[in-house]
Amino acid sequence: MMLAFFENWFSYIMTNSSYLLEQFGTHAYLALTSVAFCIIIGLPLGIAIYLHRRWEGPVMTVINTVQTVPSMAMLTVLLIFFGLGTTTVVILVVLYSLLPIVKNTFAGLNSVNAVYLDSAKGMGMTQTQILLMVQIPLALPILLVGVKNALVLAVGTTTIGSFVGAGGLGDIILRGINTVGGTSIILTGALLCALIAFGFEALINEVEKQLQHSFSGIKKEKI
């Protein structure tokens, strides 16, 4: 029985390889685009609530509240305003993946040892210089953990794109659900989602390694 399952699975992959590659690329593109927007929005937002602590409560309350709304309900609301297509999916994924980037940006900046800040001030550095040249480089590991979490959330949430005609691996999973004996189809979509997540994580790990090497001078000199 297991042998027959794997034979059918292999046959499905070989027969639909071009379709699977197309949906794989679409899914990866949508997830990566969404996280890019998350970084563009979330990094400045995290810096803003760090510099202006009175904003932390309201901003985090709004972002956390979004997480409590069921994704299908949010998708329906966005569908009314933005219609079918990739725009709706990207906005949805941004809303659900923003939290780890904002939270980790704030936590990372907040974790920088005050000794470094005092040393930088003693050297005559401005607040902006301290932020860009000291705090962000030292907070980088925590910031990148937020990006990793956002990528994992994005890959999972992007599967909903199949309901609004955006494509992606959600199409494969949905097709498997609607097919009698479609377990192998569902498994294929799920494994490809996991492959994207692992690939993104490996990419971020490599970026982190390179950036930490670039900024190692700051840590060695201790400002």
Side-chain angles (χ1 to χ4, degrees):
M1 186 175 179
M2 287 297 295
L3 181 59
F5 171 80
F6 282 111
E7 286 178 351
N8 291 334
W9 185 23
F10 182 77
S11 175
Y12 170 77
I13 293 174
M14 291 297 100
T15 305
N16 299 275
S17 57
S18 59
Y19 169 72
L20 294 176
L21 285 173
E22 179 184 355
Q23 299 307 323
F24 182 89
T26 299
H27 198 100
Y29 172 77
L30 289 173
L32 199 58
T33 301
S34 301
V35 173
F37 279 113
C38 282
I39 294 172
I40 292 171
I41 298 169
L43 186 61
L45 202 53
I47 293 172
I49 63 175
Y50 170 77
L51 297 176
H52 307 280
R53 299 302 177 94
R54 65 183 182 277
W55 295 354
E56 179 190 356
V59 169
M60 295 307 297
T61 298
V62 171
I63 296 176
N64 282 315
T65 301
V66 170
Q67 307 296 310
T68 66
V69 180
S71 55
M72 289 303 297
M74 182 66 76
L75 181 65
T76 303
V77 173
L78 293 175
L79 187 61
I80 296 172
F81 293 100
F82 301 101
L84 298 171
T86 57
T87 301
T88 299
V89 177
V90 169
I91 294 173
L92 177 74
V93 176
V94 168
L95 290 174
Y96 282 96
S97 304
L98 192 61
L99 177 61
I101 292 180
V102 176
K103 187 175 180 180
N104 281 48
T105 299
F106 176 81
L109 295 174
N110 209 36
S111 69
V112 176
N113 196 313
V115 172
Y116 299 140
L117 304 182
D118 291 338
S119 299
K121 289 176 183 177
M123 294 174 62
M125 298 176 70
T126 65
Q127 180 67 47
T128 302
Q129 288 174 326
I130 293 173
L131 179 67
L132 296 177
M133 300 173 65
V134 179
Q135 289 178 282
I136 290 179
L138 293 177
L140 194 62
I142 298 177
L143 298 183
L144 290 178
V145 168
V147 175
K148 288 180 189 177
N149 292 338
L151 280 168
V152 172
L153 288 171
V155 171
T157 309
T158 302
T159 56
I160 300 177
S162 60
F163 292 101
V164 292
L169 297 175
D171 278 6
I172 299 171
I173 295 173
L174 190 60
R175 180 175 295 187
I177 293 173
N178 294 327
T179 302
V180 177
T183 306
S184 59
I185 303 176
I186 297 172
L187 183 61
T188 301
L191 288 176
L192 289 175
C193 279
L195 182 61
I196 292 176
F198 284 130
F200 281 160
E201 184 174 0
L203 177 63
I204 293 298
N205 287 337
E206 184 61 29
V207 170
E208 180 179 7
K209 187 186 300 182
Q210 295 299 324
L211 289 176
Q212 284 184 333
H213 178 72
S214 299
F215 291 131
S216 61
I218 295 177
K219 295 183 178 180
K220 289 178 181 179
E221 294 175 9
K222 298 185 182 295
I223 313 304

PDB file of all heavy atoms in Angstrom, residues 184-216:
ATOM      1  N   SER A 184      -1.350  12.748  -1.566  1.00  0.00           N
ATOM      2  CA  SER A 184      -0.015  12.993  -2.128  1.00  0.00           C
ATOM      3  C   SER A 184       0.104  14.422  -2.659  1.00  0.00           C
ATOM      4  O   SER A 184       1.178  15.023  -2.588  1.00  0.00           O
ATOM      5  CB  SER A 184       0.274  11.992  -3.250  1.00  0.00           C
ATOM      6  OG  SER A 184      -0.686  12.094  -4.283  1.00  0.00           O
ATOM      7  N   ILE A 185      -1.005  14.973  -3.161  1.00  0.00           N
ATOM      8  CA  ILE A 185      -0.993  16.347  -3.671  1.00  0.00           C
ATOM      9  C   ILE A 185      -0.833  17.331  -2.515  1.00  0.00           C
ATOM     10  O   ILE A 185      -0.039  18.272  -2.584  1.00  0.00           O
ATOM     11  CB  ILE A 185      -2.278  16.649  -4.466  1.00  0.00           C
ATOM     12  CG1 ILE A 185      -2.450  15.661  -5.614  1.00  0.00           C
ATOM     13  CG2 ILE A 185      -2.261  18.080  -5.000  1.00  0.00           C
ATOM     14  CD1 ILE A 185      -3.741  15.826  -6.398  1.00  0.00           C
ATOM     15  N   ILE A 186      -1.572  17.083  -1.436  1.00  0.00           N
ATOM     16  CA  ILE A 186      -1.472  17.936  -0.244  1.00  0.00           C
ATOM     17  C   ILE A 186      -0.058  17.871   0.326  1.00  0.00           C
ATOM     18  O   ILE A 186       0.532  18.896   0.690  1.00  0.00           O
ATOM     19  CB  ILE A 186      -2.497  17.504   0.823  1.00  0.00           C
ATOM     20  CG1 ILE A 186      -3.924  17.677   0.296  1.00  0.00           C
ATOM     21  CG2 ILE A 186      -2.310  18.304   2.107  1.00  0.00           C
ATOM     22  CD1 ILE A 186      -4.990  17.099   1.204  1.00  0.00           C
ATOM     23  N   LEU A 187       0.480  16.662   0.401  1.00  0.00           N
ATOM     24  CA  LEU A 187       1.834  16.466   0.934  1.00  0.00           C
ATOM     25  C   LEU A 187       2.864  17.202   0.088  1.00  0.00           C
ATOM     26  O   LEU A 187       3.801  17.805   0.625  1.00  0.00           O
ATOM     27  CB  LEU A 187       2.158  14.977   0.989  1.00  0.00           C
ATOM     28  CG  LEU A 187       3.513  14.589   1.579  1.00  0.00           C
ATOM     29  CD1 LEU A 187       3.627  15.055   3.018  1.00  0.00           C
ATOM     30  CD2 LEU A 187       3.703  13.074   1.493  1.00  0.00           C
ATOM     31  N   THR A 188       2.688  17.186  -1.216  1.00  0.00           N
ATOM     32  CA  THR A 188       3.609  17.890  -2.109  1.00  0.00           C
ATOM     33  C   THR A 188       3.602  19.382  -1.821  1.00  0.00           C
ATOM     34  O   THR A 188       4.664  20.010  -1.689  1.00  0.00           O
ATOM     35  CB  THR A 188       3.225  17.653  -3.577  1.00  0.00           C
ATOM     36  OG1 THR A 188       3.260  16.254  -3.856  1.00  0.00           O
ATOM     37  CG2 THR A 188       4.184  18.380  -4.511  1.00  0.00           C
ATOM     38  N   GLY A 189       2.411  19.972  -1.719  1.00  0.00           N
ATOM     39  CA  GLY A 189       2.310  21.401  -1.416  1.00  0.00           C
ATOM     40  C   GLY A 189       2.909  21.750  -0.071  1.00  0.00           C
ATOM     41  O   GLY A 189       3.626  22.749   0.069  1.00  0.00           O
ATOM     42  N   ALA A 190       2.646  20.902   0.938  1.00  0.00           N
ATOM     43  CA  ALA A 190       3.166  21.161   2.284  1.00  0.00           C
ATOM     44  C   ALA A 190       4.690  21.071   2.320  1.00  0.00           C
ATOM     45  O   ALA A 190       5.364  21.902   2.947  1.00  0.00           O
ATOM     46  CB  ALA A 190       2.555  20.170   3.270  1.00  0.00           C
ATOM     47  N   LEU A 191       5.245  20.068   1.642  1.00  0.00           N
ATOM     48  CA  LEU A 191       6.698  19.907   1.629  1.00  0.00           C
ATOM     49  C   LEU A 191       7.389  21.049   0.887  1.00  0.00           C
ATOM     50  O   LEU A 191       8.469  21.507   1.290  1.00  0.00           O
ATOM     51  CB  LEU A 191       7.077  18.572   0.991  1.00  0.00           C
ATOM     52  CG  LEU A 191       6.779  17.319   1.829  1.00  0.00           C
ATOM     53  CD1 LEU A 191       7.105  16.058   1.053  1.00  0.00           C
ATOM     54  CD2 LEU A 191       7.546  17.348   3.150  1.00  0.00           C
ATOM     55  N   LEU A 192       6.770  21.521  -0.175  1.00  0.00           N
ATOM     56  CA  LEU A 192       7.346  22.655  -0.908  1.00  0.00           C
ATOM     57  C   LEU A 192       7.301  23.926  -0.054  1.00  0.00           C
ATOM     58  O   LEU A 192       8.233  24.741  -0.106  1.00  0.00           O
ATOM     59  CB  LEU A 192       6.603  22.861  -2.227  1.00  0.00           C
ATOM     60  CG  LEU A 192       6.853  21.796  -3.301  1.00  0.00           C
ATOM     61  CD1 LEU A 192       5.966  22.039  -4.511  1.00  0.00           C
ATOM     62  CD2 LEU A 192       8.320  21.766  -3.709  1.00  0.00           C
ATOM     63  N   CYS A 193       6.234  24.090   0.728  1.00  0.00           N
ATOM     64  CA  CYS A 193       6.172  25.226   1.671  1.00  0.00           C
ATOM     65  C   CYS A 193       7.313  25.145   2.681  1.00  0.00           C
ATOM     66  O   CYS A 193       7.975  26.146   2.974  1.00  0.00           O
ATOM     67  CB  CYS A 193       4.831  25.224   2.409  1.00  0.00           C
ATOM     68  SG  CYS A 193       3.452  25.925   1.489  1.00  0.00           S
ATOM     69  N   ALA A 194       7.524  23.940   3.215  1.00  0.00           N
ATOM     70  CA  ALA A 194       8.608  23.746   4.181  1.00  0.00           C
ATOM     71  C   ALA A 194       9.962  24.017   3.534  1.00  0.00           C
ATOM     72  O   ALA A 194      10.857  24.607   4.164  1.00  0.00           O
ATOM     73  CB  ALA A 194       8.561  22.317   4.729  1.00  0.00           C
ATOM     74  N   LEU A 195      10.108  23.618   2.267  1.00  0.00           N
ATOM     75  CA  LEU A 195      11.369  23.846   1.556  1.00  0.00           C
ATOM     76  C   LEU A 195      11.652  25.341   1.404  1.00  0.00           C
ATOM     77  O   LEU A 195      12.787  25.789   1.575  1.00  0.00           O
ATOM     78  CB  LEU A 195      11.309  23.177   0.183  1.00  0.00           C
ATOM     79  CG  LEU A 195      12.569  23.287  -0.681  1.00  0.00           C
ATOM     80  CD1 LEU A 195      13.753  22.636   0.024  1.00  0.00           C
ATOM     81  CD2 LEU A 195      12.328  22.634  -2.043  1.00  0.00           C
ATOM     82  N   ILE A 196      10.619  26.116   1.097  1.00  0.00           N
ATOM     83  CA  ILE A 196      10.785  27.570   0.997  1.00  0.00           C
ATOM     84  C   ILE A 196      11.200  28.151   2.345  1.00  0.00           C
ATOM     85  O   ILE A 196      12.110  28.985   2.424  1.00  0.00           O
ATOM     86  CB  ILE A 196       9.478  28.236   0.511  1.00  0.00           C
ATOM     87  CG1 ILE A 196       9.194  27.854  -0.936  1.00  0.00           C
ATOM     88  CG2 ILE A 196       9.573  29.759   0.627  1.00  0.00           C
ATOM     89  CD1 ILE A 196       7.873  28.382  -1.467  1.00  0.00           C
ATOM     90  N   ALA A 197      10.536  27.709   3.414  1.00  0.00           N
ATOM     91  CA  ALA A 197      10.855  28.215   4.751  1.00  0.00           C
ATOM     92  C   ALA A 197      12.304  27.897   5.136  1.00  0.00           C
ATOM     93  O   ALA A 197      13.032  28.759   5.642  1.00  0.00           O
ATOM     94  CB  ALA A 197       9.893  27.624   5.785  1.00  0.00           C
ATOM     95  N   PHE A 198      12.741  26.659   4.875  1.00  0.00           N
ATOM     96  CA  PHE A 198      14.119  26.273   5.186  1.00  0.00           C
ATOM     97  C   PHE A 198      15.108  27.060   4.326  1.00  0.00           C
ATOM     98  O   PHE A 198      16.180  27.455   4.794  1.00  0.00           O
ATOM     99  CB  PHE A 198      14.316  24.772   4.973  1.00  0.00           C
ATOM    100  CG  PHE A 198      13.723  23.919   6.056  1.00  0.00           C
ATOM    101  CD1 PHE A 198      12.893  22.846   5.732  1.00  0.00           C
ATOM    102  CD2 PHE A 198      13.987  24.175   7.384  1.00  0.00           C
ATOM    103  CE1 PHE A 198      12.339  22.062   6.727  1.00  0.00           C
ATOM    104  CE2 PHE A 198      13.435  23.398   8.392  1.00  0.00           C
ATOM    105  CZ  PHE A 198      12.607  22.334   8.061  1.00  0.00           C
ATOM    106  N   GLY A 199      14.751  27.277   3.069  1.00  0.00           N
ATOM    107  CA  GLY A 199      15.627  28.037   2.183  1.00  0.00           C
ATOM    108  C   GLY A 199      15.793  29.475   2.639  1.00  0.00           C
ATOM    109  O   GLY A 199      16.912  30.015   2.647  1.00  0.00           O
ATOM    110  N   PHE A 200      14.693  30.099   3.026  1.00  0.00           N
ATOM    111  CA  PHE A 200      14.754  31.468   3.525  1.00  0.00           C
ATOM    112  C   PHE A 200      15.572  31.548   4.807  1.00  0.00           C
ATOM    113  O   PHE A 200      16.343  32.486   5.013  1.00  0.00           O
ATOM    114  CB  PHE A 200      13.347  32.005   3.782  1.00  0.00           C
ATOM    115  CG  PHE A 200      12.624  32.446   2.538  1.00  0.00           C
ATOM    116  CD1 PHE A 200      11.242  32.565   2.523  1.00  0.00           C
ATOM    117  CD2 PHE A 200      13.319  32.749   1.378  1.00  0.00           C
ATOM    118  CE1 PHE A 200      10.572  32.978   1.382  1.00  0.00           C
ATOM    119  CE2 PHE A 200      12.663  33.162   0.228  1.00  0.00           C
ATOM    120  CZ  PHE A 200      11.287  33.273   0.235  1.00  0.00           C
ATOM    121  N   GLU A 201      15.397  30.566   5.684  1.00  0.00           N
ATOM    122  CA  GLU A 201      16.150  30.563   6.937  1.00  0.00           C
ATOM    123  C   GLU A 201      17.646  30.439   6.675  1.00  0.00           C
ATOM    124  O   GLU A 201      18.460  31.124   7.301  1.00  0.00           O
ATOM    125  CB  GLU A 201      15.684  29.429   7.844  1.00  0.00           C
ATOM    126  CG  GLU A 201      16.376  29.430   9.199  1.00  0.00           C
ATOM    127  CD  GLU A 201      15.816  28.405  10.161  1.00  0.00           C
ATOM    128  OE1 GLU A 201      14.886  27.679   9.787  1.00  0.00           O
ATOM    129  OE2 GLU A 201      16.314  28.337  11.296  1.00  0.00           O
ATOM    130  N   ALA A 202      18.010  29.575   5.733  1.00  0.00           N
ATOM    131  CA  ALA A 202      19.424  29.427   5.376  1.00  0.00           C
ATOM    132  C   ALA A 202      19.978  30.721   4.798  1.00  0.00           C
ATOM    133  O   ALA A 202      21.116  31.115   5.083  1.00  0.00           O
ATOM    134  CB  ALA A 202      19.584  28.285   4.372  1.00  0.00           C
ATOM    135  N   LEU A 203      19.163  31.406   4.005  1.00  0.00           N
ATOM    136  CA  LEU A 203      19.577  32.682   3.423  1.00  0.00           C
ATOM    137  C   LEU A 203      19.808  33.733   4.503  1.00  0.00           C
ATOM    138  O   LEU A 203      20.819  34.450   4.493  1.00  0.00           O
ATOM    139  CB  LEU A 203      18.509  33.166   2.437  1.00  0.00           C
ATOM    140  CG  LEU A 203      18.759  34.532   1.782  1.00  0.00           C
ATOM    141  CD1 LEU A 203      20.021  34.498   0.924  1.00  0.00           C
ATOM    142  CD2 LEU A 203      17.545  34.935   0.934  1.00  0.00           C
ATOM    143  N   ILE A 204      18.881  33.820   5.454  1.00  0.00           N
ATOM    144  CA  ILE A 204      19.020  34.793   6.546  1.00  0.00           C
ATOM    145  C   ILE A 204      20.228  34.464   7.410  1.00  0.00           C
ATOM    146  O   ILE A 204      20.956  35.357   7.858  1.00  0.00           O
ATOM    147  CB  ILE A 204      17.743  34.827   7.406  1.00  0.00           C
ATOM    148  CG1 ILE A 204      16.574  35.380   6.589  1.00  0.00           C
ATOM    149  CG2 ILE A 204      17.946  35.702   8.638  1.00  0.00           C
ATOM    150  CD1 ILE A 204      16.749  36.791   6.110  1.00  0.00           C
ATOM    151  N   ASN A 205      20.463  33.175   7.651  1.00  0.00           N
ATOM    152  CA  ASN A 205      21.638  32.780   8.435  1.00  0.00           C
ATOM    153  C   ASN A 205      22.928  33.220   7.757  1.00  0.00           C
ATOM    154  O   ASN A 205      23.871  33.675   8.415  1.00  0.00           O
ATOM    155  CB  ASN A 205      21.650  31.263   8.642  1.00  0.00           C
ATOM    156  CG  ASN A 205      20.607  30.793   9.633  1.00  0.00           C
ATOM    157  OD1 ASN A 205      20.156  31.574  10.474  1.00  0.00           O
ATOM    158  ND2 ASN A 205      20.211  29.548   9.540  1.00  0.00           N
ATOM    159  N   GLU A 206      22.970  33.091   6.436  1.00  0.00           N
ATOM    160  CA  GLU A 206      24.152  33.509   5.686  1.00  0.00           C
ATOM    161  C   GLU A 206      24.305  35.028   5.720  1.00  0.00           C
ATOM    162  O   GLU A 206      25.423  35.545   5.891  1.00  0.00           O
ATOM    163  CB  GLU A 206      24.045  33.022   4.238  1.00  0.00           C
ATOM    164  CG  GLU A 206      25.270  33.329   3.388  1.00  0.00           C
ATOM    165  CD  GLU A 206      26.533  32.681   3.903  1.00  0.00           C
ATOM    166  OE1 GLU A 206      26.454  31.601   4.536  1.00  0.00           O
ATOM    167  OE2 GLU A 206      27.625  33.263   3.688  1.00  0.00           O
ATOM    168  N   VAL A 207      23.199  35.739   5.575  1.00  0.00           N
ATOM    169  CA  VAL A 207      23.231  37.211   5.661  1.00  0.00           C
ATOM    170  C   VAL A 207      23.708  37.642   7.043  1.00  0.00           C
ATOM    171  O   VAL A 207      24.537  38.548   7.170  1.00  0.00           O
ATOM    172  CB  VAL A 207      21.835  37.808   5.366  1.00  0.00           C
ATOM    173  CG1 VAL A 207      21.802  39.299   5.691  1.00  0.00           C
ATOM    174  CG2 VAL A 207      21.473  37.597   3.906  1.00  0.00           C
ATOM    175  N   GLU A 208      23.199  36.979   8.075  1.00  0.00           N
ATOM    176  CA  GLU A 208      23.603  37.305   9.446  1.00  0.00           C
ATOM    177  C   GLU A 208      25.099  37.085   9.639  1.00  0.00           C
ATOM    178  O   GLU A 208      25.796  37.900  10.253  1.00  0.00           O
ATOM    179  CB  GLU A 208      22.818  36.440  10.438  1.00  0.00           C
ATOM    180  CG  GLU A 208      23.161  36.715  11.890  1.00  0.00           C
ATOM    181  CD  GLU A 208      22.347  35.870  12.843  1.00  0.00           C
ATOM    182  OE1 GLU A 208      21.612  34.979  12.384  1.00  0.00           O
ATOM    183  OE2 GLU A 208      22.447  36.109  14.056  1.00  0.00           O
ATOM    184  N   LYS A 209      25.596  35.991   9.101  1.00  0.00           N
ATOM    185  CA  LYS A 209      27.019  35.683   9.230  1.00  0.00           C
ATOM    186  C   LYS A 209      27.879  36.761   8.564  1.00  0.00           C
ATOM    187  O   LYS A 209      28.874  37.228   9.130  1.00  0.00           O
ATOM    188  CB  LYS A 209      27.300  34.323   8.600  1.00  0.00           C
ATOM    189  CG  LYS A 209      28.719  33.810   8.811  1.00  0.00           C
ATOM    190  CD  LYS A 209      28.959  32.531   8.020  1.00  0.00           C
ATOM    191  CE  LYS A 209      28.006  31.444   8.445  1.00  0.00           C
ATOM    192  NZ  LYS A 209      28.272  30.165   7.697  1.00  0.00           N
ATOM    193  N   GLN A 210      27.464  37.176   7.361  1.00  0.00           N
ATOM    194  CA  GLN A 210      28.217  38.185   6.631  1.00  0.00           C
ATOM    195  C   GLN A 210      28.158  39.545   7.321  1.00  0.00           C
ATOM    196  O   GLN A 210      29.167  40.254   7.423  1.00  0.00           O
ATOM    197  CB  GLN A 210      27.686  38.304   5.197  1.00  0.00           C
ATOM    198  CG  GLN A 210      27.881  37.063   4.344  1.00  0.00           C
ATOM    199  CD  GLN A 210      29.350  36.702   4.173  1.00  0.00           C
ATOM    200  OE1 GLN A 210      30.218  37.568   4.077  1.00  0.00           O
ATOM    201  NE2 GLN A 210      29.626  35.397   4.134  1.00  0.00           N
ATOM    202  N   LEU A 211      26.982  39.918   7.812  1.00  0.00           N
ATOM    203  CA  LEU A 211      26.831  41.217   8.466  1.00  0.00           C
ATOM    204  C   LEU A 211      27.572  41.256   9.795  1.00  0.00           C
ATOM    205  O   LEU A 211      28.188  42.267  10.146  1.00  0.00           O
ATOM    206  CB  LEU A 211      25.348  41.528   8.681  1.00  0.00           C
ATOM    207  CG  LEU A 211      24.544  41.863   7.417  1.00  0.00           C
ATOM    208  CD1 LEU A 211      23.068  42.064   7.753  1.00  0.00           C
ATOM    209  CD2 LEU A 211      25.097  43.104   6.732  1.00  0.00           C
ATOM    210  N   GLN A 212      27.514  40.161  10.537  1.00  0.00           N
ATOM    211  CA  GLN A 212      28.238  40.115  11.809  1.00  0.00           C
ATOM    212  C   GLN A 212      29.739  40.215  11.567  1.00  0.00           C
ATOM    213  O   GLN A 212      30.463  40.817  12.358  1.00  0.00           O
ATOM    214  CB  GLN A 212      27.902  38.822  12.565  1.00  0.00           C
ATOM    215  CG  GLN A 212      26.533  38.854  13.214  1.00  0.00           C
ATOM    216  CD  GLN A 212      26.262  37.603  14.029  1.00  0.00           C
ATOM    217  OE1 GLN A 212      26.802  36.536  13.751  1.00  0.00           O
ATOM    218  NE2 GLN A 212      25.416  37.717  15.024  1.00  0.00           N
ATOM    219  N   HIS A 213      30.205  39.626  10.491  1.00  0.00           N
ATOM    220  CA  HIS A 213      31.630  39.733  10.144  1.00  0.00           C
ATOM    221  C   HIS A 213      31.982  41.181   9.816  1.00  0.00           C
ATOM    222  O   HIS A 213      33.036  41.685  10.208  1.00  0.00           O
ATOM    223  CB  HIS A 213      31.944  38.826   8.960  1.00  0.00           C
ATOM    224  CG  HIS A 213      33.360  38.909   8.506  1.00  0.00           C
ATOM    225  ND1 HIS A 213      34.410  38.381   9.233  1.00  0.00           N
ATOM    226  CD2 HIS A 213      33.931  39.496   7.407  1.00  0.00           C
ATOM    227  CE1 HIS A 213      35.550  38.617   8.602  1.00  0.00           C
ATOM    228  NE2 HIS A 213      35.287  39.292   7.495  1.00  0.00           N
ATOM    229  N   SER A 214      31.080  41.849   9.096  1.00  0.00           N
ATOM    230  CA  SER A 214      31.318  43.251   8.709  1.00  0.00           C
ATOM    231  C   SER A 214      31.342  44.169   9.923  1.00  0.00           C
ATOM    232  O   SER A 214      32.100  45.138   9.982  1.00  0.00           O
ATOM    233  CB  SER A 214      30.230  43.712   7.730  1.00  0.00           C
ATOM    234  OG  SER A 214      30.250  42.937   6.565  1.00  0.00           O
ATOM    235  N   PHE A 215      30.473  43.879  10.889  1.00  0.00           N
ATOM    236  CA  PHE A 215      30.362  44.724  12.064  1.00  0.00           C
ATOM    237  C   PHE A 215      31.232  44.277  13.234  1.00  0.00           C
ATOM    238  O   PHE A 215      31.152  44.802  14.334  1.00  0.00           O
ATOM    239  CB  PHE A 215      28.908  44.775  12.558  1.00  0.00           C
ATOM    240  CG  PHE A 215      27.990  45.516  11.620  1.00  0.00           C
ATOM    241  CD1 PHE A 215      26.783  44.938  11.241  1.00  0.00           C
ATOM    242  CD2 PHE A 215      28.323  46.754  11.106  1.00  0.00           C
ATOM    243  CE1 PHE A 215      25.915  45.598  10.385  1.00  0.00           C
ATOM    244  CE2 PHE A 215      27.461  47.408  10.248  1.00  0.00           C
ATOM    245  CZ  PHE A 215      26.267  46.846   9.883  1.00  0.00           C
ATOM    246  N   SER A 216      32.038  43.256  12.995  1.00  0.00           N
ATOM    247  CA  SER A 216      32.835  42.690  14.099  1.00  0.00           C
ATOM    248  C   SER A 216      33.803  43.717  14.678  1.00  0.00           C
ATOM    249  O   SER A 216      34.152  43.652  15.863  1.00  0.00           O
ATOM    250  CB  SER A 216      33.603  41.456  13.626  1.00  0.00           C
ATOM    251  OG  SER A 216      34.494  41.808  12.567  1.00  0.00           O
TER     252      SER A 216
END
